[in-house]
Amino acid sequence: MKRILITGAAGFLGSHLCDKFIREGNEVIGMDNFLTGTEANISHLFKLKEFSFYHHDVTKFVHVPGQIDYILHFASPASPVDYLEMPIQTLKVGSLGTHNLLGLAKIKRARMLIASTSEIYGDPLVHPQRESYWGNVNPVGPRGVYDEAKRFQEAITMAYHNVHGVETRIARIFNTYGPRMRINDGRALPTFFSQAMSGQDLTVYGNGTQTRSFCYIDDMVEGIYKLLLSNYHLPVNLGNPDEVTILQVAKEILAITNSTSVIKKTKLPIDDPQMRQPDITLAKKELLWRPTVKRADGLMRTYSHLLSAF
């Protein structure tokens, strides 16, 4: 049994990771300040002896008594709605928060995995995006607070690995969806579902030809799990290479929900990436991992969950 600290435990990805590591027979310590996470995501865990929880902001000093084997740092606003409203908190959790947790990992001799993002590639000039691509990011644009927080997070993580010998793992996570997504988080899939289920127009930015690659939560959690347990310390793309236009996925959600809503096109946000597709050659080689859930199945599972909570 390993003892694992998961920050951002009450968030979408973090809560699913708590479930995964407890299922695998481990003790999990969740940590969250509920800035964007919700207690409902982890309420089912409070009754378990394998789970404990700290209501704490990781940008402040982090202390957890006892041995820790692994740290998974998933604390951060992660949607444009959140990080545009909370730019300073976003920058602080990527910088100060990561620094605090790396210090904890050093003291505890723990392996630490950070949740980086495909957004470090910005509006890419290389397609699909591979780990060797350095990105096309506007550091002073509205999205820069998230992009640069994550780029700094990768840099300080590598510094602790190289200088202090901390065992580190870096997951570059591409668009992920599934149960426990916040319906109002501003990202494409929950927004489309919410609009379709409420009979509102589906708002597609620009002409809808920009692309995304959506990975179902179960596949993503398995990829993160395998990366943590691997011997590979450089960044690894985790995502589903099944690229789709935003307009197409909007149409798919209309069909799934049997909605009579119509698609309405609106102004494209500043610095919105025009294409996004992971090259997962490295993940397939180093982790023996690839996503298996087809988008049609994942969207239907997500819709079923949303229906029960709507």
Side-chain angles (χ1 to χ4, degrees):
M1 175 185 287
K2 300 294 185 181
R3 195 161 184 255
I4 303 163
L5 172 64
I6 300 177
T7 73
F12 167 47
L13 262 169
S15 64
H16 283 281
L17 287 167
C18 290
D19 290 342
K20 169 69 173 177
F21 282 97
I22 288 173
R23 280 198 308 270
E24 297 293 334
N26 301 291
E27 179 184 347
V28 170
I29 305 156
M31 185 173 288
D32 207 299
N33 66 346
F34 298 120
L35 188 65
T36 58
T38 173
E39 188 174 321
N41 285 341
I42 52 172
S43 60
H44 62 289
L45 299 176
F46 288 129
K47 62 187 177 184
L48 302 179
K49 68 180 188 306
E50 300 88 358
F51 183 75
S52 56
F53 183 76
Y54 285 76
H55 185 181
H56 184 71
D57 179 351
V58 298
T59 67
K60 299 177 172 61
F61 178 74
V62 178
H63 172 67
V64 177
Q67 176 60 30
I68 298 176
D69 299 293
Y70 302 135
I71 299 171
L72 288 87
H73 182 26
F74 278 73
S76 178
S79 75
V81 165
D82 293 333
Y83 58 70
L84 293 177
E85 287 184 356
M86 297 176 282
I88 294 172
Q89 293 97 322
T90 301
L91 287 160
K92 285 175 70 176
V93 76
S95 55
L96 299 176
T98 305
H99 188 203
N100 287 338
L101 291 159
L102 284 163
L104 182 66
K106 179 186 172 187
I107 292 169
K108 301 287 188 180
R109 299 175 184 255
R111 179 178 299 180
M112 177 161 153
L113 181 148
I114 63 165
S116 187
T117 172
S118 62
E119 296 305 313
I120 67 109
Y121 298 122
D123 190 7
L125 305 177
V126 170
H127 196 70
Q129 293 78 60
R130 63 184 72 92
E131 291 87 351
S132 58
Y133 177 51
W134 293 351
N136 177 39
V137 172
N138 176 6
V140 296
R143 299 173 70 101
V145 296
Y146 184 66
D147 302 352
E148 296 295 357
K150 292 297 189 179
R151 288 162 72 93
F152 175 86
Q153 184 182 48
E154 288 195 11
I156 194 172
T157 297
M158 285 303 302
Y160 264 75
H161 174 83
N162 293 327
V163 175
H164 296 303
V166 175
E167 280 199 56
T168 56
R169 304 290 183 266
I170 300 173
R172 286 187 182 159
I173 296 169
F174 283 67
N175 299 75
T176 307
Y177 71 101
R180 300 183 199 157
M181 283 190 309
R182 277 174 41 228
I183 197 74
N184 61 343
D185 83 350
R187 284 179 278 197
L189 292 188
T191 298
F192 290 160
F193 272 117
S194 175
Q195 290 169 336
M197 294 165 71
S198 302
Q200 303 171 31
D201 294 340
L202 271 64
T203 50
V204 168
Y205 294 128
N207 58 15
T209 57
Q210 64 271 39
T211 67
R212 296 293 183 268
S213 300
F214 297 103
C215 187
Y216 189 66
I217 183 65
D218 291 359
D219 284 332
M220 181 57 65
V221 165
E222 188 63 23
I224 292 164
Y225 182 78
K226 288 189 171 185
L227 176 59
L228 177 70
L229 300 182
S230 77
N231 293 317
Y232 193 81
H233 73 275
L234 294 172
V236 178
N237 286 341
L238 295 177
N240 192 325
D242 183 18
E243 186 181 20
V244 63
T245 67
I246 291 295
L247 185 60
Q248 175 61 30
V249 81
K251 291 177 179 176
E252 290 173 4
I253 288 174
L254 284 177
I256 287 170
T257 58
N258 292 313
S259 175
T260 57
S261 299
V262 298
I263 293 172
K264 180 181 179 181
K265 295 179 180 178
T266 188
K267 185 179 178 182
L268 197 67
I270 298 171
D271 297 332
D272 190 56
Q274 289 304 292
M275 51 190 175
R276 187 70 83 227
Q277 183 189 28
D279 182 326
I280 61 168
T281 303
L282 187 60
K284 288 190 285 189
K285 176 186 175 185
E286 294 291 338
L287 312 181
L288 302 179
W289 172 87
R290 69 176 69 202
T292 60
V293 178
K294 296 185 182 302
R295 189 172 66 254
D297 295 333
L299 289 176
M300 185 57 73
R301 293 183 203 175
T302 303
Y303 178 49
S304 297
H305 173 80
L306 290 172
L307 272 178
S308 65
F310 200 67

